[in-house]
Amino acid sequence: MPSFDVSSLSDAQRPTGVWAASLLHAIARDEAAGRRRPALTEPKLDTWTRFRGRLSSVDLVSLLFEDAAVLHRVPFDPDAVGGSLRPDRLPEAVTDGWLQSIESLSLSTAGADYILEQARLLGLPTRMARSDLHVVKAHQKVLELPGTGGQLAHHLVSSQKDLTLQDNFIVACSSWQELTLAGVIALELGAPHSDFAVRTEAADLKDADHPLRQRSFDFVVGLHPDKGGLFHVEDQLAIWFPTAKVLLV
């Protein structure tokens, strides 16, 4: 996302900058789609300019995230996402530049391309054979394994009828980047919440008493080990989820 430049941030600030840039793009796109009232995309930020007083652009970013976190704690609440993210410590010069660049941001990119762009910003893998995924029926449940941040769920919900993130999916996430992307996908697909995204370390699934191991899934999907996936079917997933169809792409 060239409009949200993070190159001037220090190594300590970079994770927060990437997270904030991702979420600002998501909010702007949500406003452009008519799913929330314009604030970030309001021409010349007129309302904010009239009432900001001594508040800075950093405060505006924090307020936007705090408001969005009421419905989508993931990805807007830094405590829920993890990663020691501190929006209040972003340099004002950087957030000023971001706000000035909103008008030049493309907000009508196709959903699939937009999510790929977000995944790349967050440093997540994108090379997946999404077309190999099975047809999922409206009553079936799908677990997306740690590693992809909801990209497979996004493809399935976008391409198949009668599926929703909140009713059909659990997206297991092992990093703040994955949780951020899963939350961004919730906004993109108009999900009323992001409770389907859960923090789960890859090693946690080895525990037979883990909550996800106690649930019944029709499908388990994830990244193929040849592409950096963390799991194998034969000696892991087929044993852990014996009633599910497992597909790694």
Side-chain angles (χ1 to χ4, degrees), residues 42 45-56 63:
E42 184 183 25
L45 294 173
D46 280 346
T47 301
W48 172 250
T49 301
R50 286 198 304 271
F51 295 102
R52 64 181 292 180
R54 297 181 180 179
L55 297 177
S56 70
L63 287 169

Side-chain angles (χ1 to χ4, degrees), residues 1-205:
M1 298 172 201
S3 295
F4 296 112
D5 184 15
V6 298
S7 62
S8 65
L9 297 175
S10 67
D11 289 344
Q13 295 167 331
R14 187 70 56 90
T16 297
V18 169
W19 170 74
S22 174
L23 299 193
L24 285 174
H25 194 169
I27 289 174
R29 188 173 170 94
D30 217 34
E31 291 180 2
R35 292 187 291 264
R36 69 178 66 225
R37 294 178 61 184
L40 189 59
T41 58
E42 184 183 25
K44 299 182 180 180
L45 294 173
D46 280 346
T47 301
W48 172 250
T49 301
R50 286 198 304 271
F51 295 102
R52 64 181 292 180
R54 297 181 180 179
L55 297 177
S56 70
S57 58
V58 177
D59 296 310
L60 174 58
V61 170
S62 296
L63 287 169
L64 287 170
F65 291 179
E66 183 178 344
D67 179 64
V70 173
L71 294 180
H72 296 89
R73 189 161 181 253
V74 172
F76 290 101
D77 183 342
D79 291 334
V81 175
S84 300
L85 305 172
R86 293 294 302 271
D88 57 311
R89 293 185 178 178
L90 287 170
E92 187 174 340
V94 170
T95 53
D96 282 347
W98 287 352
L99 297 184
Q100 292 168 7
S101 70
I102 291 294
E103 291 183 358
S104 64
L105 190 66
S106 175
L107 300 176
S108 58
T109 306
D113 294 335
Y114 163 69
I115 294 303
L116 281 176
E117 186 181 7
Q118 286 276 24
R120 292 188 185 105
L121 174 70
L122 292 162
L124 296 177
T126 58
R127 192 170 59 93
M128 289 166 272
R130 294 166 178 80
S131 61
D132 289 345
L133 295 170
H134 292 283
V135 173
V136 178
K137 297 179 181 179
H139 66 278
Q140 294 180 317
K141 304 296 182 183
V142 182
L143 170 65
E144 182 167 340
L145 296 165
T148 49
Q151 294 178 73
L152 301 179
H154 176 266
H155 174 79
L156 288 167
V157 173
S158 300
S159 60
Q160 299 182 22
K161 294 181 179 180
D162 302 322
L163 300 181
T164 67
L165 291 171
Q166 64 272 17
D167 293 327
N168 298 101
F169 292 87
I170 294 293
V171 177
C173 302
S174 61
S175 67
W176 69 263
Q177 293 95 329
E178 292 173 35
L179 281 167
T180 298
L181 185 60
V184 165
I185 288 170
L187 263 70
E188 176 66 12
L189 294 178
H193 57 75
S194 52
D195 296 349
F196 63 89
V198 298
R199 167 75 74 170
T200 305
E201 300 297 332
D204 294 344
L205 293 179

